[in-house]
Structures are given as structure tokens and as C-alpha cells.
Amino acid sequence: MSAPLLQVEALNQRFGRIEACRDIDFVMHPGEVIGIVGESGSGKTTLLKCLAGRQVPTSGRVLYDMRVKGPTDLYALSEPERRLLMRTDLGYVTQNPRDALRMGISAGGNVGERLMVNGARHYGAIRDTASDWLERVELDPGRIDDRPATYSGGMQQRLQIAKTLVVNPRLVFMDEPTGGLDVSVQARLLDLLRGLVRELGLSAVIVTHDLAVARLLADRLMVMRRGEVVEQGLTDQVLDDPHHPYTQLLVSSVLQP
Amino acid sequence: MSAAPARERPGDPAYNFAYLDEQTKRMIRRGLLKAVAIPGYQVPFASREMPLPYGWGTGGIQVTASIIGPEDRLKVIDQGADDTTNAVSIRRFFHRVTEVETTEETADATVIQTRHRIPERDLTENQILVYQVPIPEPLRQLEPREAECRKIHAWQEYGVMHVGLYEDIARWGHIARTYDYPVMVGGRYLMAPSPIPKFDNPKMTKMAALQLFGAGREKRLYAIPPHTDVKSLDFEDHPFEVQKWDETCGLCGAEDSFLDEVILDDAGGHMYVCSDSDFCRHRRDAGHRGAMAGHEAVRVLTEQVS
């Protein structure tokens, strides 16, 4: 088995009196998709930010298997090194696409920005890649010069995914990628994500409170409650045979249409 | 306090030489030294209130005031011309507080304060060009957070600057930005060259004269030392280009200078003239004649200019 891509050791995050994440340990291998589920306020997003290099944890280590250096603590890197890693190897999809997109810049500019930030200086090549990616996320390449403000919520989310994946990251973090979308759009987005993850061999950590999303996308599941991981295991195992009372409650709360 | 006899010094006795007090001038000179040592880097400084509004050149005149000496000859231009309101007021101001000689001759000046243009004539090692800068931060339109801008400068993460140029090409088919066109100074710092037309960008590179930039409201100084490499940003398949005109100067016939359009009447009559008034006058004195030379409207215009 290949070396782990991400190792989290005794990660703690406190905000004053509040313990957002407590003693979190897990290992993630290349190509794995891990789902984090739990009720709101359970520390899912905080954990994701800590993993993604966006929030310095109070204590503990996040070891990422860098291409050259091997496993390195994200927070032991200097800030420019970490920023370089974040814009080449890591991707982050926010719940609200308007937080990640430049609303005053065209869709092509938004996708191309990631390429230009990483040094692309050939307009034609940038545009071709951007147009190709719009197609892959099922957006009309004819609208490449339209601003994201003219896109619907679901289209903006797909644009954000294109913008994240265009630089071929190895590890993508997604915070409620389907939150706030209507069910049919959610289904298509999930289909798309599943296809892309399998096709590109991406590793991903997906935060969600929607168990259906978790079952569809995640290989493994971590259930969080009050900052702690109360149960983890293979997705089907956790969802079909929940052990922890909270997980049992969570699974039994899903509405059956 | 005993009244020590005032030392003989030029300028209005009510003010210190060149208006600013000596401590302030030292502070600005220290900033300028740092700016020259790190080409293109924005040095913060404690900008003072000046007797003119922000946006009219408060940064430029503070820089000029701190470097000017009694032996200097000052030229002030606004949009290339010596006779526009801003240029005339600043020239008169410095004459009052320093009694230095002022000139309209580009070649004779030792200090040239400018707004929006670089003179057409090549400058020399013995000259200093002082720019008035409204917005010193080239990233301002793309990154509103000042702390983030500083990090981008510190770590040279300038890729985002090309997004603006990309948008231009996507929308207009070419880079439509015509002024304040971003440049890389000495291969290190991204710099806003103040609102000069991009026509003037190529003059900045390897210029023999020292170039100093002052932004009064934003409280920043920066500089390009003589003979420094200055490169305008572009794409490999859309190289940097300057503006071109189909017309020539109506007065002097110049084909290679930056032209302004002048409206002559209410019937759509117009002509193009050199924006650099000193350059145009020299060409006319040397016998060059444009298509409109001798025209009645032009006679009035040239009499005003020279």
C-alpha cells in the first residue's frame, strides 16, 4: 500500500472556551474520499479548514505527503511555502460559490486565474483550458465571457469546481458542495463530482450533513459530534450498522420519501 | 528667545526653504533612499498636509520639496504641458518658497515634476523625474485587502495581475488598458507607473534619469534608479504594444509623439497636437510644419502655448 497522503495527529482547535475539534487522529491514503458528517456546530468545517492549511490548529499536526519533501507538517512550513502548496496541490470548494469566485470577472477569467497564478502566460492556452473545463463541468463554453453573477447558483457551484480542479490538485476539500441547491441540481452535481473524482483519481475530504451525499461520494465516513469523532469506518458499514447512539440517531433521522 | 539674525536664504521668509521643515524633508529623503535601494518597493512615509488638495500632486510636491536645492532648475508639467493650471500653480509655488529658477526647457531642468506624462525628449543622468501618484498599489482593483497585497508583494505572487489583462483580451480582443499599465521593476516588484499613458512605459526602462514617485494621500514613496529594467506585463501571444495614431501633430507634424485631440469648433472640427508642449515648440522652431500650421485657430493656440 502506498504511503498515506494525509496524517492527522492529535489535532485540537480551541476558540477560547469552545473546543471546536478535540483529539482528532486519522490517516488518509491517495485516491480515498473521506466524508465528514455531523450536526451543525459539531466542528466539521473547522476541521476541514485545519486540514486545508487555512486555520492554524491549537495543537496537533497535519502531515501532508509533499511531492518532493515527503510527509511534512503543513503548519511547520513557512507561509509562502504553504501558500504555494495550497494553490498547486490542494483545492478548496466552499459552500457558497460567491466566496471563492470573483464576481466581476468573467467565467473564463475565474477558471484561468488559477492557471495565471501558477505562471501560465499564454492567453490562447489559458482560454482553451478554461473552455475545456467549463465543458467538463457541463457549463456552456459559449458563456465563457459571462460574469458569474449572471449564472444560477448551481452553475456558480460548478464553475467553482472547475476553478478548483483546473490546476490538477491532488487533494480537494469540499465544504457542503451541494448545500443550498435544489434536489435535481444536487443530483447532477453529485453525479458530476463522482465522475470527476474517479476519473482524475482525486483524493477528497467532503464535509456534509446530508447522508445521501456521503453515501454516494465517500469511501469512508467520520461522524463528528461536539468536536469529537464519535465513529468512523467504511461508509456502508457506518450507515448500515451504526454503533454509536448519535450515529444511530443521525441515520434514523433521514426522511424516507 | 533671543532673536538670532535670520540666515540669508532664498524664498518667502514666512516659510522654510521649499515649504517643508527640515525634519520632514529628512524623513522623506530617508524614505527615498530606501525606495531607491529597493526599486519598485512602496515605502510608507508620514505624508504632510500640503497647501493643495489631495489628487492635485501632494505626493509629488513633497518629494520635489525634499530634494530641491537653490541651484536646481525646476520644470513642472501636467499632461505633458507646461501651461496647464496644475503645472503653473506648482511652478509658482516652488518659485515662491525657493526662488529657484523655473524653466519650460526639458533639457535645462534638473528636476522635472510630472503628472500623466514622461517628456518625449530623452532625459539624462543629471535629471530627476518626480511623478505625482494617485494610486500606488497596482493590485488595488484585484485585491482590496492591504495586508494581503503586502504578502503578494513580499512573495512575488503576481499571477493574479494577469487576470485583468485576460479580461481585456476576452472582451475587446486586445489589452485595452491604456494608462497606469502595470510594470515589473528590476524583475522583482510589481509597480503602478502612475497614470502615464502606456505609450510612455518603454521610456521608463533603462532611463538615465532617476525616477521618484510620491503618493500623498496613500502615503507611499517608490523609485526606479537610473538604468533599471522596467518591463510591462503581457501575454506570450499578446505582447505589450503602445498606442498608435493615424494622424500626425497638426502644429509640428511629429509622427512619433503622444497626441492630444483638440476640439476647434462646434461643427466637429478637431486636430491632434503633441501633448508635450516643449517638444512641439522645439520642432516648430526647427522649421517643422504640421498640416494645420498657419490656420487661424492654430495661430491663437500657438500664441498661447509659447
Side-chain angles (χ1 to χ4, degrees):
Chain A
M1 200 167 187
S2 51
L5 183 66
L6 196 67
Q7 300 172 66
V8 180
E9 294 173 357
L11 186 122
N12 278 282
Q13 177 68 62
R14 299 186 67 97
F15 299 106
R17 293 185 293 108
I18 302 162
E19 277 192 301
C21 297
R22 195 183 326 153
D23 288 333
I24 294 183
D25 286 280
F26 72 94
V27 172
M28 183 180 182
H29 289 276
E32 248 188 326
V33 178
I34 292 187
I36 303 176
V37 295
E39 61 193 352
S40 81
S42 61
K44 304 185 299 277
T45 298
T46 304
L47 173 61
L48 196 72
K49 283 185 180 163
C50 290
L51 302 183
R54 294 180 162 218
Q55 165 102 41
V56 186
T58 315
S59 67
R61 300 201 299 167
V62 180
L63 298 169
Y64 174 76
D65 185 23
M66 290 177 75
R67 289 173 209 253
V68 181
K69 282 182 166 181
T72 317
D73 186 359
L74 280 184
Y75 297 98
L77 291 171
S78 68
E79 198 174 350
E81 280 180 305
R82 186 162 68 243
R83 284 164 67 111
L84 177 67
L85 187 72
M86 283 167 68
R87 57 175 193 264
T88 52
D89 269 24
L90 308 181
Y92 195 96
V93 176
T94 60
Q95 178 173 8
N96 183 348
R98 286 173 289 282
D99 293 342
L101 296 172
R102 288 180 190 275
M103 298 309 278
I105 299 285
S106 69
N110 266 293
V111 178
E113 176 185 346
R114 297 274 296 201
L115 298 168
M116 290 182 253
V117 162
N118 287 336
R121 292 291 178 270
H122 192 284
Y123 173 81
I126 293 168
R127 200 169 167 80
D128 289 346
T129 314
S131 154
D132 180 43
W133 266 98
L134 289 186
E135 224 160 339
R136 289 172 87 162
V137 297
E138 297 170 14
L139 290 170
D140 177 9
R143 294 194 61 184
I144 189 169
D145 292 332
D146 292 353
R147 294 180 178 201
T150 67
Y151 282 24
S152 74
M155 290 163 78
Q156 287 176 0
Q157 190 58 287
R158 277 179 276 159
L159 183 61
Q160 189 194 184
I161 289 167
K163 179 177 183 165
T164 308
L165 296 183
V166 69
V167 289
N168 294 321
R170 289 167 75 200
L171 177 54
V172 179
F173 301 94
M174 298 190 197
D175 189 0
E176 308 263 11
T178 58
L181 301 178
D182 76 60
V183 186
S184 64
V185 177
Q186 263 190 34
R188 282 188 45 209
L189 191 67
L190 284 173
D191 232 23
L192 174 74
L193 274 177
R194 194 163 56 163
L196 288 172
V197 165
R198 299 287 175 247
E199 178 192 338
L200 304 170
L202 281 176
S203 312
V205 181
I206 297 171
V207 160
T208 179
H209 50 231
D210 185 339
L211 293 182
V213 171
R215 193 190 277 277
L216 211 55
L217 288 176
D219 306 320
R220 279 203 299 140
L221 213 54
M222 287 171 31
V223 183
M224 284 188 78
R225 185 175 186 229
R226 296 187 191 157
E228 281 184 292
V229 175
V230 293
E231 185 165 355
Q232 56 175 315
L234 296 176
T235 305
D236 292 341
Q237 197 182 334
V238 172
L239 293 182
D240 295 342
D241 180 19
H243 285 199
H244 192 275
Y246 173 70
T247 319
Q248 290 169 354
L249 178 73
L250 198 68
V251 171
S252 63
S253 311
V254 175
L255 289 175
Q256 300 296 336
Chain B
M1 275 180 62
S2 62
R7 200 152 48 87
E8 273 299 312
R9 59 170 174 76
D12 189 328
Y15 296 100
N16 190 27
F17 178 77
Y19 186 78
L20 293 174
D21 62 272
E22 294 303 313
Q23 284 304 330
T24 300
K25 288 197 258 179
R26 270 185 210 119
M27 175 269 294
I28 294 175
R29 284 178 208 140
R30 278 196 295 271
L32 289 172
L33 285 175
K34 182 169 180 180
V36 171
I38 317 172
Y41 172 74
Q42 298 169 47
V43 182
F45 80 113
S47 175
R48 299 292 195 251
E49 286 288 322
M50 295 303 278
L52 80 167
Y54 286 132
W56 289 31
T58 51
I61 67 172
Q62 287 181 78
V63 172
T64 304
S66 28
I67 59 170
I68 202 164
E71 311 299 319
D72 275 313
R73 263 187 313 280
L74 179 70
K75 171 182 163 84
V76 184
I77 50 176
D78 172 10
Q79 313 275 1
D82 293 279
D83 57 351
T84 41
T85 316
N86 196 246
V88 170
S89 322
I90 292 175
R91 193 161 54 231
R92 195 185 291 150
F93 168 77
F94 276 115
H95 181 70
R96 178 172 161 196
V97 294
T98 64
E99 280 176 31
V100 298
E101 215 179 309
T102 58
T103 179
E104 297 189 0
E105 292 285 336
T106 304
D108 289 350
T110 56
V111 177
I112 302 173
Q113 182 172 332
T114 179
R115 172 172 182 260
H116 290 191
R117 277 311 308 278
I118 296 175
E120 304 287 357
R121 188 191 180 95
D122 283 343
L123 302 181
T124 68
E125 281 89 350
N126 303 320
Q127 297 179 304
I128 299 178
L129 188 57
V130 177
Y131 296 77
Q132 303 169 195
V133 183
I135 300 168
E137 180 52 72
L139 298 160
R140 184 58 72 237
Q141 296 300 321
L142 291 157
E143 181 50 71
R145 293 167 296 181
E146 177 66 21
E148 186 66 14
C149 284
R150 302 249 189 129
K151 286 181 179 179
I152 291 175
H153 282 296
W155 300 323
Q156 265 189 291
E157 296 174 350
Y158 291 139
V160 68
M161 201 63 210
H162 276 79
V163 174
L165 304 182
Y166 170 95
E167 282 296 288
D168 265 4
I169 304 175
R171 194 165 305 164
W172 311 106
H174 60 102
I175 299 174
R177 189 161 188 162
T178 52
Y179 68 96
D180 207 1
Y181 192 101
V183 292
M184 282 296 286
V185 178
R188 176 60 183 85
Y189 279 99
L190 181 72
M191 191 193 90
S194 87
I196 60 168
K198 66 177 173 184
F199 179 88
D200 286 341
N201 273 20
K203 293 180 197 158
M204 303 182 96
T205 192
K206 308 254 189 253
M207 186 192 275
L210 171 63
Q211 303 172 70
L212 302 175
F213 299 77
R217 176 174 39 207
E218 303 287 326
K219 303 177 172 50
R220 292 289 183 278
L221 300 168
Y222 49 104
I224 305 176
H227 308 290
T228 303
D229 227 12
V230 178
K231 192 181 175 304
S232 306
L233 297 188
D234 58 3
F235 284 103
E236 287 158 16
D237 48 345
H238 286 266
F240 174 78
E241 277 176 358
V242 299
Q243 296 101 318
K244 292 189 188 70
W245 288 264
D246 297 330
E247 296 79 6
T248 56
C249 173
L251 302 179
C252 73
E255 293 168 355
D256 55 352
S257 77
F258 188 86
L259 300 179
D260 284 338
E261 186 180 4
V262 178
I263 306 295
L264 296 175
D265 51 38
D266 290 343
H270 64 120
M271 66 184 288
Y272 286 86
V273 291
C274 296
S275 110
D276 185 337
S277 54
D278 177 61
F279 175 78
C280 194
R281 184 161 47 81
H282 272 278
R283 278 182 55 88
R284 275 180 275 121
D285 291 348
H288 295 282
R289 286 284 170 269
M292 299 285 282
H295 192 280
E296 172 59 21
V298 172
R299 196 182 53 75
V300 179
L301 198 71
T302 44
E303 271 171 11
Q304 285 168 352
V305 169
S306 47

